[in-house]
mmCIF file of all heavy atoms in Angstrom:
data_model
loop_
_atom_site.group_PDB
_atom_site.id
_atom_site.type_symbol
_atom_site.label_atom_id
_atom_site.label_comp_id
_atom_site.label_asym_id
_atom_site.label_seq_id
_atom_site.Cartn_x
_atom_site.Cartn_y
_atom_site.Cartn_z
ATOM 1 N N ILE A 81 -106.231 -174.081 87.615
ATOM 2 C CA ILE A 81 -105.131 -173.945 86.640
ATOM 3 C C ILE A 81 -104.649 -172.498 86.613
ATOM 4 O O ILE A 81 -103.437 -172.234 86.569
ATOM 5 C CB ILE A 81 -105.579 -174.401 85.231
ATOM 6 C CG1 ILE A 81 -105.896 -175.907 85.238
ATOM 7 C CG2 ILE A 81 -104.494 -174.106 84.205
ATOM 8 C CD1 ILE A 81 -106.415 -176.430 83.903
ATOM 9 N N LEU A 82 -105.604 -171.559 86.665
ATOM 10 C CA LEU A 82 -105.233 -170.132 86.716
ATOM 11 C C LEU A 82 -104.333 -169.859 87.936
ATOM 12 O O LEU A 82 -103.256 -169.263 87.814
ATOM 13 C CB LEU A 82 -106.500 -169.280 86.784
ATOM 14 C CG LEU A 82 -106.359 -167.754 86.749
ATOM 15 C CD1 LEU A 82 -107.666 -167.125 86.259
ATOM 16 C CD2 LEU A 82 -106.006 -167.147 88.100
ATOM 17 N N PHE A 84 -102.622 -171.995 89.822
ATOM 18 C CA PHE A 84 -101.367 -172.764 89.745
ATOM 19 C C PHE A 84 -100.374 -172.076 88.799
ATOM 20 O O PHE A 84 -99.188 -171.919 89.129
ATOM 21 C CB PHE A 84 -101.674 -174.175 89.264
ATOM 22 C CG PHE A 84 -100.473 -175.055 89.095
ATOM 23 C CD1 PHE A 84 -99.736 -175.476 90.191
ATOM 24 C CD2 PHE A 84 -100.078 -175.466 87.834
ATOM 25 C CE1 PHE A 84 -98.616 -176.279 90.032
ATOM 26 C CE2 PHE A 84 -98.968 -176.275 87.663
ATOM 27 C CZ PHE A 84 -98.231 -176.682 88.766
ATOM 28 N N SER A 85 -100.848 -171.628 87.649
ATOM 29 C CA SER A 85 -99.974 -170.965 86.673
ATOM 30 C C SER A 85 -99.435 -169.648 87.229
ATOM 31 O O SER A 85 -98.248 -169.328 87.058
ATOM 32 C CB SER A 85 -100.743 -170.696 85.375
ATOM 33 O OG SER A 85 -101.269 -171.886 84.852
ATOM 34 N N ALA A 86 -100.327 -168.890 87.899
ATOM 35 C CA ALA A 86 -99.907 -167.606 88.467
ATOM 36 C C ALA A 86 -98.821 -167.806 89.524
ATOM 37 O O ALA A 86 -97.821 -167.075 89.559
ATOM 38 C CB ALA A 86 -101.117 -166.889 89.073
ATOM 39 N N VAL A 87 -99.003 -168.806 90.388
ATOM 40 C CA VAL A 87 -98.013 -169.069 91.448
ATOM 41 C C VAL A 87 -96.707 -169.600 90.847
ATOM 42 O O VAL A 87 -95.610 -169.241 91.312
ATOM 43 C CB VAL A 87 -98.599 -170.050 92.488
ATOM 44 C CG1 VAL A 87 -97.514 -170.579 93.411
ATOM 45 C CG2 VAL A 87 -99.680 -169.353 93.291
ATOM 46 N N CYS A 88 -96.803 -170.434 89.815
ATOM 47 C CA CYS A 88 -95.580 -170.923 89.139
ATOM 48 C C CYS A 88 -94.786 -169.741 88.578
ATOM 49 O O CYS A 88 -93.547 -169.705 88.675
ATOM 50 C CB CYS A 88 -95.945 -171.883 88.003
ATOM 51 S SG CYS A 88 -96.401 -173.527 88.561
ATOM 52 N N MET A 89 -95.512 -168.764 88.000
ATOM 53 C CA MET A 89 -94.831 -167.574 87.477
ATOM 54 C C MET A 89 -94.144 -166.811 88.611
ATOM 55 O O MET A 89 -92.983 -166.381 88.477
ATOM 56 C CB MET A 89 -95.843 -166.664 86.769
ATOM 57 C CG MET A 89 -95.204 -165.472 86.099
ATOM 58 S SD MET A 89 -96.376 -164.476 85.145
ATOM 59 C CE MET A 89 -97.119 -163.525 86.432
ATOM 60 N N GLY A 90 -94.843 -166.666 89.738
ATOM 61 C CA GLY A 90 -94.264 -165.949 90.878
ATOM 62 C C GLY A 90 -93.035 -166.646 91.446
ATOM 63 O O GLY A 90 -92.020 -166.002 91.736
ATOM 64 N N ALA A 92 -91.044 -168.723 89.864
ATOM 65 C CA ALA A 92 -89.960 -168.614 88.876
ATOM 66 C C ALA A 92 -89.279 -167.257 88.978
ATOM 67 O O ALA A 92 -88.045 -167.151 88.887
ATOM 68 C CB ALA A 92 -90.519 -168.843 87.474
ATOM 69 N N ILE A 99 -88.626 -161.855 83.637
ATOM 70 C CA ILE A 99 -90.079 -161.849 83.821
ATOM 71 C C ILE A 99 -90.818 -162.489 82.644
ATOM 72 O O ILE A 99 -91.830 -163.182 82.825
ATOM 73 C CB ILE A 99 -90.600 -160.412 84.075
ATOM 74 C CG1 ILE A 99 -92.085 -160.445 84.452
ATOM 75 C CG2 ILE A 99 -90.357 -159.515 82.868
ATOM 76 C CD1 ILE A 99 -92.400 -161.227 85.689
ATOM 77 N N TRP A 100 -90.292 -162.325 81.412
ATOM 78 C CA TRP A 100 -90.991 -162.915 80.262
ATOM 79 C C TRP A 100 -90.727 -164.409 80.173
ATOM 80 O O TRP A 100 -91.563 -165.158 79.663
ATOM 81 C CB TRP A 100 -90.604 -162.191 78.980
ATOM 82 C CG TRP A 100 -91.004 -160.744 79.070
ATOM 83 C CD1 TRP A 100 -90.181 -159.667 79.144
ATOM 84 C CD2 TRP A 100 -92.344 -160.232 79.190
ATOM 85 N NE1 TRP A 100 -90.904 -158.510 79.287
ATOM 86 C CE2 TRP A 100 -92.234 -158.818 79.310
ATOM 87 C CE3 TRP A 100 -93.612 -160.803 79.205
ATOM 88 C CZ2 TRP A 100 -93.353 -158.001 79.440
ATOM 89 C CZ3 TRP A 100 -94.731 -159.982 79.340
ATOM 90 C CH2 TRP A 100 -94.589 -158.604 79.457
ATOM 91 N N ALA A 101 -89.590 -164.848 80.723
ATOM 92 C CA ALA A 101 -89.366 -166.291 80.853
ATOM 93 C C ALA A 101 -90.332 -166.865 81.894
ATOM 94 O O ALA A 101 -90.823 -167.997 81.750
ATOM 95 C CB ALA A 101 -87.919 -166.561 81.264
ATOM 96 N N CYS A 102 -90.637 -166.067 82.923
ATOM 97 C CA CYS A 102 -91.604 -166.500 83.950
ATOM 98 C C CYS A 102 -93.011 -166.618 83.341
ATOM 99 O O CYS A 102 -93.768 -167.531 83.700
ATOM 100 C CB CYS A 102 -91.620 -165.512 85.109
ATOM 101 S SG CYS A 102 -90.049 -165.377 85.962
ATOM 102 N N VAL A 103 -93.354 -165.675 82.460
ATOM 103 C CA VAL A 103 -94.656 -165.764 81.775
ATOM 104 C C VAL A 103 -94.709 -167.055 80.962
ATOM 105 O O VAL A 103 -95.729 -167.763 80.950
ATOM 106 C CB VAL A 103 -94.867 -164.524 80.863
ATOM 107 C CG1 VAL A 103 -96.062 -164.731 79.950
ATOM 108 C CG2 VAL A 103 -95.033 -163.272 81.710
ATOM 109 N N PHE A 104 -93.597 -167.384 80.305
ATOM 110 C CA PHE A 104 -93.537 -168.628 79.532
ATOM 111 C C PHE A 104 -93.722 -169.850 80.452
ATOM 112 O O PHE A 104 -94.415 -170.810 80.092
ATOM 113 C CB PHE A 104 -92.184 -168.710 78.805
ATOM 114 C CG PHE A 104 -92.010 -169.955 78.000
ATOM 115 C CD1 PHE A 104 -92.680 -170.126 76.785
ATOM 116 C CD2 PHE A 104 -91.190 -170.989 78.452
ATOM 117 C CE1 PHE A 104 -92.531 -171.291 76.050
ATOM 118 C CE2 PHE A 104 -91.037 -172.151 77.719
ATOM 119 C CZ PHE A 104 -91.713 -172.306 76.521
ATOM 120 N N VAL A 105 -93.123 -169.794 81.647
ATOM 121 C CA VAL A 105 -93.284 -170.884 82.618
ATOM 122 C C VAL A 105 -94.765 -171.051 82.987
ATOM 123 O O VAL A 105 -95.279 -172.176 83.075
ATOM 124 C CB VAL A 105 -92.444 -170.604 83.887
ATOM 125 C CG1 VAL A 105 -92.814 -171.561 85.019
ATOM 126 C CG2 VAL A 105 -90.957 -170.725 83.568
ATOM 127 N N ALA A 106 -95.450 -169.915 83.200
ATOM 128 C CA ALA A 106 -96.878 -169.969 83.556
ATOM 129 C C ALA A 106 -97.696 -170.609 82.433
ATOM 130 O O ALA A 106 -98.554 -171.479 82.690
ATOM 131 C CB ALA A 106 -97.392 -168.558 83.836
ATOM 132 N N LEU A 107 -97.423 -170.198 81.194
ATOM 133 C CA LEU A 107 -98.168 -170.764 80.054
ATOM 134 C C LEU A 107 -97.880 -172.251 79.900
ATOM 135 O O LEU A 107 -98.773 -173.054 79.590
ATOM 136 C CB LEU A 107 -97.812 -170.011 78.773
ATOM 137 C CG LEU A 107 -98.142 -168.512 78.754
ATOM 138 C CD1 LEU A 107 -97.754 -167.889 77.419
ATOM 139 C CD2 LEU A 107 -99.621 -168.263 79.040
ATOM 140 N N LEU A 108 -96.612 -172.616 80.158
ATOM 141 C CA LEU A 108 -96.231 -174.030 80.073
ATOM 142 C C LEU A 108 -96.954 -174.859 81.149
ATOM 143 O O LEU A 108 -97.413 -175.976 80.886
ATOM 144 C CB LEU A 108 -94.711 -174.144 80.259
ATOM 145 C CG LEU A 108 -94.029 -175.388 79.691
ATOM 146 C CD1 LEU A 108 -94.254 -175.507 78.189
ATOM 147 C CD2 LEU A 108 -92.536 -175.366 80.014
ATOM 148 N N ALA A 109 -97.068 -174.278 82.345
ATOM 149 C CA ALA A 109 -97.773 -174.967 83.440
ATOM 150 C C ALA A 109 -99.237 -175.192 83.061
ATOM 151 O O ALA A 109 -99.800 -176.273 83.289
ATOM 152 C CB ALA A 109 -97.669 -174.148 84.722
ATOM 153 N N GLY A 110 -99.863 -174.165 82.453
ATOM 154 C CA GLY A 110 -101.257 -174.304 82.031
ATOM 155 C C GLY A 110 -101.414 -175.348 80.947
ATOM 156 O O GLY A 110 -102.359 -176.151 80.974
ATOM 157 N N LEU A 111 -100.491 -175.335 79.984
ATOM 158 C CA LEU A 111 -100.537 -176.336 78.909
ATOM 159 C C LEU A 111 -100.391 -177.746 79.465
ATOM 160 O O LEU A 111 -101.072 -178.682 79.012
ATOM 161 C CB LEU A 111 -99.408 -176.060 77.908
ATOM 162 C CG LEU A 111 -99.686 -175.015 76.824
ATOM 163 C CD1 LEU A 111 -98.419 -174.706 76.045
ATOM 164 C CD2 LEU A 111 -100.788 -175.494 75.883
ATOM 165 N N LEU A 112 -99.497 -177.912 80.439
ATOM 166 C CA LEU A 112 -99.287 -179.231 81.045
ATOM 167 C C LEU A 112 -100.565 -179.731 81.725
ATOM 168 O O LEU A 112 -100.958 -180.892 81.555
ATOM 169 C CB LEU A 112 -98.133 -179.158 82.051
ATOM 170 C CG LEU A 112 -97.790 -180.461 82.776
ATOM 171 C CD1 LEU A 112 -97.300 -181.512 81.774
ATOM 172 C CD2 LEU A 112 -96.713 -180.224 83.845
ATOM 173 N N CYS A 113 -101.213 -178.844 82.480
ATOM 174 C CA CYS A 113 -102.470 -179.228 83.155
ATOM 175 C C CYS A 113 -103.542 -179.584 82.127
ATOM 176 O O CYS A 113 -104.269 -180.581 82.282
ATOM 177 C CB CYS A 113 -102.968 -178.093 84.046
ATOM 178 S SG CYS A 113 -101.852 -177.675 85.391
ATOM 179 N N GLY A 226 -106.366 -175.161 79.112
ATOM 180 C CA GLY A 226 -105.240 -174.970 80.029
ATOM 181 C C GLY A 226 -104.427 -173.737 79.665
ATOM 182 O O GLY A 226 -104.052 -172.945 80.549
ATOM 183 N N LEU A 227 -104.196 -173.539 78.357
ATOM 184 C CA LEU A 227 -103.402 -172.386 77.910
ATOM 185 C C LEU A 227 -104.109 -171.070 78.228
ATOM 186 O O LEU A 227 -103.487 -170.136 78.753
ATOM 187 C CB LEU A 227 -103.154 -172.500 76.399
ATOM 188 C CG LEU A 227 -102.409 -171.323 75.760
ATOM 189 C CD1 LEU A 227 -100.992 -171.215 76.317
ATOM 190 C CD2 LEU A 227 -102.357 -171.468 74.235
ATOM 191 N N SER A 229 -106.424 -170.530 80.467
ATOM 192 C CA SER A 229 -106.512 -170.335 81.919
ATOM 193 C C SER A 229 -105.205 -169.762 82.446
ATOM 194 O O SER A 229 -105.199 -168.875 83.314
ATOM 195 C CB SER A 229 -106.817 -171.671 82.613
ATOM 196 O OG SER A 229 -108.047 -172.196 82.169
ATOM 197 N N ALA A 230 -104.079 -170.268 81.929
ATOM 198 C CA ALA A 230 -102.770 -169.746 82.335
ATOM 199 C C ALA A 230 -102.613 -168.299 81.885
ATOM 200 O O ALA A 230 -102.093 -167.447 82.614
ATOM 201 C CB ALA A 230 -101.662 -170.614 81.739
ATOM 202 N N MET A 231 -103.086 -168.004 80.657
ATOM 203 C CA MET A 231 -103.021 -166.635 80.146
ATOM 204 C C MET A 231 -103.825 -165.700 81.063
ATOM 205 O O MET A 231 -103.382 -164.588 81.379
ATOM 206 C CB MET A 231 -103.603 -166.619 78.731
ATOM 207 C CG MET A 231 -102.991 -165.603 77.793
ATOM 208 S SD MET A 231 -103.825 -165.615 76.204
ATOM 209 C CE MET A 231 -103.395 -167.225 75.584
ATOM 210 N N GLY A 233 -104.308 -166.166 84.174
ATOM 211 C CA GLY A 233 -103.510 -166.028 85.391
ATOM 212 C C GLY A 233 -102.452 -164.949 85.247
ATOM 213 O O GLY A 233 -102.230 -164.150 86.169
ATOM 214 N N VAL A 234 -101.794 -164.897 84.099
ATOM 215 C CA VAL A 234 -100.767 -163.874 83.846
ATOM 216 C C VAL A 234 -101.404 -162.478 83.879
ATOM 217 O O VAL A 234 -100.872 -161.548 84.504
ATOM 218 C CB VAL A 234 -100.080 -164.123 82.486
ATOM 219 C CG1 VAL A 234 -99.157 -162.949 82.130
ATOM 220 C CG2 VAL A 234 -99.300 -165.427 82.517
ATOM 221 N N VAL A 237 -102.319 -161.505 87.510
ATOM 222 C CA VAL A 237 -101.148 -161.087 88.292
ATOM 223 C C VAL A 237 -100.718 -159.682 87.872
ATOM 224 O O VAL A 237 -100.379 -158.843 88.719
ATOM 225 C CB VAL A 237 -99.982 -162.085 88.085
ATOM 226 C CG1 VAL A 237 -98.703 -161.545 88.717
ATOM 227 C CG2 VAL A 237 -100.333 -163.436 88.687
#
Side-chain angles (χ1 to χ4, degrees):
I81 295 177
L82 184 157
F84 178 68
S85 303
V87 167
C88 283
M89 185 175 81
I99 188 60
W100 299 112
C102 298
V103 169
F104 179 74
V105 168
L107 299 181
L108 203 59
L111 276 172
L112 180 64
C113 297
L227 176 64
S229 299
M231 212 183 294
V234 172
V237 171

